[in-house]
Amino acid sequence: MTTARPAPEVLAWSRDLVGPALRAAVETLPPSMRDIAGYHFGWLDEHGRPATGDGGKAIRPALVILAAEAAGGTAGAAVPGAVAVELVHNFSLLHDDVMDGDVTRRHRATAWHVFGTSRAILAGDALLTLAFDVLAGSGHAAAREAARVLGAAVLDLVEGQSADTVFETRQEVGLNECVRMAEGKTGALLGCACALGALLGGGSSERAGRLRRFGDRLGLAFQFVDDLLGIWGDPVVTGKPVHSDLRNRKKSLPVVAALSSGTPAGNELATLYRGEHELDAADLTRAAALIEAAGARAWSRERVDELFNEALTHLLSADPVSRPAAELRTLAHLIAHRDH
């Protein structure tokens, strides 16, 4: 039996396998969209010259090709699915940066901040369209079913993102509806990544469903960790300013957990969040301390551990091939513990 590789090696292998196909797909875009997409991926600077920016860990493509192997297929067969998932993910990031008003991502100015809001939105639309074109053009026997799975995930993602946006204008947000929002916004695409891999790897619909549940539990854990990093993350690691989510008064999972806690700290946080003034550095530090005092930081971390264990149970139920299954567990651990 081949020994499972550590996470950095798996991610490097995935980037080497999927990267050329991703670049080739983006090269088919019209020049105006190609330049913005190239900048967003870190391949180009704002003038269209070659650059070596950070393109992210590319965890989702790795999940696709490992799921294909776990289902008994080959990584190569799942490359179109990996490219499609990465295109959809980056479509969502381009739009998310516009909606949140974020001016930095991966230690660089966001695409909308460089090229303008309208052009960044259009570039995101182009990536979404390209994702389905890549699947349709793959010639794979499961391409049609894969496109339907991807389309359903995109609708869940959009619904989750819509809920996230609506929450910003509401004073009261329930914890259960916040969790449902995160399941759509983040969980759906990670679940889709694993299902696509299984389908393109020749797995049955039942096996794909079990791997999808592994991915969506992992995706929800990912969002919990992302929300923790949005409050307490190191800017050197996250590429965003400290307390960035609090500055935008985002109702993230730890925030809503604190607001729903019924504790004095949660009540004080509610007063701070409902204020009209811009939150200064002292306010942001106080808000973070209140969330922790309300027990929401510890609860979020505990929920991540529970979701991690649920994900592994679903992975085991898919009767996966041993080596890629071990590497999926390794990636799951990376996702669930990247705030440590």
Side-chain angles (χ1 to χ4, degrees):
M1 182 181 72
T2 304
T3 303
R5 297 163 293 182
E9 187 176 335
V10 169
L11 292 172
W13 164 74
S14 171
R15 286 191 295 269
D16 288 344
L17 183 63
V18 177
L22 178 63
R23 283 181 178 252
V26 171
E27 282 295 317
T28 68
L29 292 174
S32 60
M33 297 296 97
R34 185 170 64 234
D35 288 348
I36 299 172
Y39 173 84
H40 171 76
F41 279 111
W43 306 333
L44 303 174
D45 67 13
E46 63 271 27
H47 305 294
R49 298 175 302 212
T52 55
D54 179 9
K57 290 187 175 69
I59 285 174
R60 289 161 188 83
L63 290 175
V64 176
I65 57 178
L66 284 176
E69 292 189 328
T74 65
V79 166
V83 170
V85 166
E86 188 68 352
L87 289 169
V88 168
H89 174 53
N90 283 278
F91 136 76
S92 73
L93 295 183
L94 282 163
H95 284 201
D96 196 40
D97 286 341
V98 170
M99 288 185 281
D100 289 347
D102 287 337
V103 297
T104 59
R105 177 174 292 280
R106 298 167 183 160
H107 311 287
R108 296 204 306 170
T110 47
W112 75 265
H113 198 57
V114 174
F115 299 100
T117 300
S118 297
R119 294 184 69 199
I121 291 172
L122 291 170
D125 295 341
L127 294 186
L128 177 59
T129 303
L130 184 59
F132 287 93
D133 186 59
V134 167
L135 275 182
S138 68
H140 196 288
R144 183 172 182 176
E145 187 176 358
R148 292 175 63 184
V149 170
L150 183 62
V154 171
L155 290 178
D156 286 341
L157 185 159
V158 170
E159 179 67 12
Q161 185 63 59
S162 175
D164 193 26
T165 303
V166 170
F167 289 173
E168 294 178 14
T169 63
R170 284 173 47 188
Q171 288 193 355
E172 302 292 336
V173 175
L175 185 55
N176 287 339
E177 62 181 335
C178 189
V179 171
R180 287 195 299 272
M181 174 275 293
E183 287 174 333
K185 179 182 174 182
T186 307
L189 192 56
L190 267 75
C192 171
C194 295
L196 284 187
L199 290 171
L200 296 175
S204 66
S205 295
E206 181 182 358
R207 204 174 201 182
R210 293 177 187 275
L211 286 167
R212 179 188 59 77
R213 288 188 284 276
F214 160 73
D216 67 35
R217 294 297 84 191
L218 192 57
L220 183 54
F222 188 105
Q223 188 60 55
F224 266 100
V225 175
D226 213 44
D227 287 351
L228 290 167
L229 291 171
I231 299 172
W232 292 284
D234 183 349
V236 174
V237 176
T238 65
K240 293 185 177 184
V242 66
H243 299 149
S244 59
D245 282 358
L246 299 181
R247 183 174 286 104
N248 295 327
R249 287 185 166 90
K250 283 186 69 68
K251 293 185 177 69
S252 62
L253 289 159
V255 168
V256 173
L259 293 173
S260 305
S261 66
T263 62
N267 295 336
E268 185 180 339
L269 178 69
T271 300
L272 192 60
Y273 249 55
R274 291 169 185 162
E276 298 289 332
H277 68 289
E278 182 175 344
L279 300 178
D280 60 22
D283 291 328
L284 296 172
T285 300
R286 181 58 181 164
L290 290 169
I291 294 167
E292 187 156 13
R297 186 178 188 178
W299 173 79
S300 297
R301 188 62 254 174
E302 289 168 7
R303 191 69 187 107
V304 169
D305 292 339
E306 291 169 357
L307 288 164
F308 174 75
N309 289 328
E310 290 172 19
L312 295 189
T313 298
H314 288 303
L315 175 61
L316 184 62
S317 75
D319 189 24
V321 175
S322 60
R323 193 269 304 160
E327 293 175 354
L328 284 169
R329 286 194 295 270
T330 297
L331 287 189
H333 188 275
L334 174 68
I335 287 169
H337 298 90
R338 72 190 195 280
D339 65 326
H340 285 12

